[in-house]
Amino acid sequence: MESIIHQDILTELRQPDIESAVRRLYENYFEGVVAQVCLKGGNREDGADIFQEAVLVLIEKVKTGQFRGESSIKTFLSAIARNLWLHELRTRSRRNNREVIYMNGEEKNEEPVHSFFNESSAKALTTVLSHVGDICKKILTGFYYEEKSMKDLLSEFNYENEQVLRNRKSKCMKKLKELLATDAALSENLKSLSLYEQ
């Protein structure tokens, strides 16, 4: 049964209209990923966020032929979710450390995300971000670079709630990844930050 669902979803994801496939991904795999995140210290809201991003990665890899179904969708989503959640935990840890330092009145002495890039890559990333639009640039920079929480970002933008903002962030990430497809070296640098590792 699992293999039939697996093949059906992959076939549907290769079509122009993927709404049905995405719905089936949620029906079959959402609770598993949420449970995985909850077991690693997250909550259902965290799990929903991670699942949404993992689905975007799966769609991208199916569309580009990087995932042909050698492993099961369940295994693939689980691996992606694990990497995304580990990245989120590291981000939260750095954010909490900064808050402790700030509360203690100490100077921040922490290596920023951009130091992972060489100078030319940092400039290229800045250029790419300038092409995703001002709102997307601010959301992605705020979340991944300045490591702001969704609640903090919500106060800066005029969105109805955090879910609407999360949806916008996911669309921005998709747009960014599409642009990165034209720059293999920069794309590899981003992968080193575990934004969307397999």
Side-chain angles (χ1 to χ4, degrees):
M1 183 67 177
E2 169 69 23
S3 62
I4 295 173
I5 294 171
H6 171 89
Q7 288 303 326
D8 285 352
I9 291 175
L10 288 183
T11 300
E12 290 175 7
L13 284 177
R14 295 185 185 104
Q15 306 305 313
D17 183 1
I18 60 171
E19 185 178 340
S20 173
V22 171
R23 185 168 60 249
R24 293 179 72 179
L25 286 170
Y26 271 84
E27 288 170 358
N28 290 283
Y29 308 110
F30 177 79
E31 290 299 335
V33 168
V34 169
Q36 177 184 343
V37 171
C38 288
L39 281 172
K40 297 294 183 181
N43 55 36
R44 283 190 67 82
E45 188 177 351
D46 294 323
D49 230 13
I50 293 298
F51 183 79
Q52 185 177 36
E53 291 195 42
V55 165
L56 285 175
V57 174
L58 173 64
I59 292 168
E60 177 195 13
K61 295 207 177 277
V62 170
K63 293 281 191 188
T64 57
Q66 293 175 276
F67 180 76
R68 300 183 186 87
E70 294 87 350
S71 62
S72 71
I73 290 175
K74 181 178 180 180
T75 299
F76 183 84
L77 285 174
S78 178
I80 293 295
R82 182 177 63 250
N83 286 325
L84 288 169
W85 182 238
L86 285 173
H87 177 263
E88 174 62 19
L89 287 176
R90 286 195 296 269
T91 299
R92 290 183 184 183
S93 176
R94 288 195 297 267
R95 188 185 302 132
N96 290 340
N97 287 341
R98 279 205 308 276
E99 287 173 1
V100 169
I101 290 169
Y102 178 77
M103 293 300 289
N104 290 338
E106 298 172 21
E107 248 185 62
K108 183 171 95 173
N109 184 23
E110 194 171 356
E111 190 174 39
V113 172
H114 66 71
S115 66
F116 284 89
F117 299 95
N118 59 40
E119 189 176 345
S120 62
S121 292
K123 287 178 181 176
L125 180 60
T126 302
T127 302
V128 171
L129 281 172
S130 69
H131 287 90
V132 298
D134 198 41
I135 296 295
C136 280
K137 181 179 179 180
K138 287 178 180 176
I139 291 174
L140 295 177
T141 302
F143 188 79
Y144 289 107
Y145 181 81
E146 298 168 4
E147 297 172 0
K148 294 178 180 177
S149 67
M150 295 306 286
K151 189 173 289 185
D152 290 338
L153 286 172
L154 186 63
S155 67
E156 296 179 24
F157 297 95
N158 199 21
Y159 290 106
E160 295 173 26
N161 52 52
E162 283 187 34
Q163 188 56 51
V164 175
L165 178 57
R166 276 191 206 94
N167 291 341
R168 182 60 189 267
K169 178 175 76 72
S170 294
K171 288 177 183 175
C172 292
M173 275 299 293
K174 185 178 179 184
K175 191 173 181 181
L176 176 62
K177 288 172 188 175
E178 287 171 357
L179 288 169
L180 284 171
T182 64
D183 191 328
L186 183 58
S187 182
E188 283 303 311
N189 273 336
L190 270 187
K191 285 181 183 178
S192 72
L193 295 180
S194 303
L195 291 183
Y196 54 105
E197 289 179 8
Q198 184 168 342

